[in-house]
Amino acid sequence: MGCGCWRLCWLFWLWPSGTNNVLYGLVIGVVTASVIGLITGLFTFGDFMYFVPETGEMGGLVPDGVMALSGFLVSLFFLYCVIEVMNQSGAIDVLTTKLATYSFMRKPLGVELVSSIVVMIGTVLLSGMVIPAILIVSSLMNRLGEAAGLDKTRRTNMLIMASTSVSPLIPISSVYLNGTVGDVASLQRVYPFIQNIDPFTTFFASIYNWLTLVIVLVWIFAGVNRKQETMTEPKLASVEKMSK
C-alpha cells in the first residue's frame, strides 16, 4: 500500500462500469482509497481536518483543498466570460460548421478522437490546467457530438478522461510536475534523506495517468459502451444546417 497502488482502486471500479459512471467511479475511488488509507495507517482522521485552539489554526485535506480552490474559482469565472465571448461572437459556430463538413467528424469515433486530442493539447498549452481546457473545448465537443448523435454523458466523460491522462504531466509545461520537483528540492535541504526526482522519469512512471490513457483509447477505438443520443427536432434541424 505504501507504493501508492491503492490510488488505482477507482480504475477497477470504472472499467466494468462503462463510461456512464466516470464521476461516480471517481467518488467511489476516493472513498475506497480513504478507507484503505485509514485501515493501513497511511493517514489518520486528523489528516482530513484538525483545529488548534491555542492558535486558531485549521488545516487538513478538506480545509486546505477549499483554500486552494478559492483563487482558482475566481480565474474560472473570467474563463467562463472568455468562452461566452467566443460563443456570442460566432467563432464556435464557424469552427463547428467547418469541421462538420468532413464526414469523419460526423461519426462518433471521429468526434471522440479529435476532441480527445484537442483537449489534451489544450491541457498542455495551459500548463496542465485540466478544467480550463475542458471548458474551452466543451462547446465545440457538444455541437460536434450532437451532430454525430453522441450521448451527452459520453461526451462529458471523454473530455474528463482524456484531459486527466498524461497531458497534465508533460515535463516541459506541467505546473504540477515542475512544482513538485521544486518542492522536493526545497525539502531536500532540510531532510537530506529524501530522494531526488526527475520530471521525465516521473512522467513515464505515472502509472495512474498512463492507465487512464489506455482506457480512453479502448473507449474510442473499441466503442466500449458508446451510446447514441436521441435527436429532438431542434437538434436535428441544427445538425442538418451544419452538414450543408
Side-chain angles (χ1 to χ4, degrees):
M1 291 295 179
C3 66
C5 293
W6 55 274
R7 299 182 186 184
L8 302 177
C9 292
W10 74 275
L11 287 174
F12 297 101
W13 175 272
L14 174 63
W15 184 274
S17 299
T19 53
N20 284 331
N21 293 313
V22 172
L23 295 179
Y24 182 49
L26 289 173
V27 172
I28 293 296
V30 170
V31 174
T32 303
S34 301
V35 172
I36 293 176
L38 290 170
I39 293 175
T40 57
L42 288 176
F43 40 77
T44 62
F45 285 105
D47 293 324
F48 289 97
M49 181 180 292
Y50 64 85
F51 178 73
V52 182
E54 293 79 8
T55 61
E57 177 188 2
M58 178 179 289
L61 296 175
V62 176
D64 292 347
V66 173
M67 291 300 296
L69 282 175
S70 58
F72 175 74
L73 291 176
V74 175
S75 63
L76 202 61
F77 170 78
F78 289 104
L79 181 63
Y80 268 115
C81 294
V82 173
I83 294 172
E84 188 60 25
V85 169
M86 294 170 60
N87 284 326
Q88 294 296 328
S89 67
I92 298 295
D93 289 329
V94 172
L95 182 58
T96 304
T97 303
K98 179 63 178 177
L99 291 175
T101 58
Y102 300 99
S103 59
F104 180 71
M105 291 303 302
R106 294 198 295 270
K107 298 177 181 178
L109 187 149
V111 174
E112 290 179 353
L113 181 60
V114 172
S115 298
S116 297
I117 293 174
V118 171
V119 77
M120 290 177 70
I121 293 175
T123 305
V124 174
L125 295 177
L126 292 170
S127 301
M129 303 296 287
V130 172
I131 295 180
I134 291 176
L135 292 176
I136 291 174
V137 180
S138 60
S139 296
L140 179 64
M141 175 67 162
N142 279 336
R143 301 192 186 191
L144 291 174
E146 287 180 357
L150 197 61
D151 182 68
K152 60 183 179 181
T153 304
R154 173 81 171 195
R155 301 196 300 261
T156 302
N157 293 334
M158 288 301 303
L159 288 180
I160 294 173
M161 292 293 288
S163 62
T164 55
S165 57
V166 296
S167 54
L169 296 179
I170 299 297
I172 60 174
S173 65
S174 175
V175 65
Y176 303 113
L177 187 54
N178 291 307
T180 301
V181 172
D183 290 340
V184 170
S186 299
L187 289 172
Q188 283 178 326
R189 290 193 288 268
V190 182
Y191 306 103
F193 59 86
I194 295 179
Q195 296 181 355
N196 189 29
I197 62 172
D198 175 76
F200 289 92
T201 303
T202 305
F203 170 70
F204 290 108
S206 301
I207 301 175
Y208 172 97
N209 300 81
W210 285 104
L211 286 178
T212 304
L213 179 61
V214 170
I215 292 177
V216 170
L217 294 175
V218 172
W219 280 358
I220 293 174
F221 292 104
V224 177
N225 205 38
R226 180 182 290 145
K227 293 183 178 180
Q228 296 295 110
E229 188 176 40
T230 303
M231 286 284 188
T232 60
E233 290 187 5
K235 287 184 179 181
L236 188 58
S238 176
V239 170
E240 290 175 350
K241 182 180 178 181
M242 282 196 304
S243 301
K244 293 180 179 180

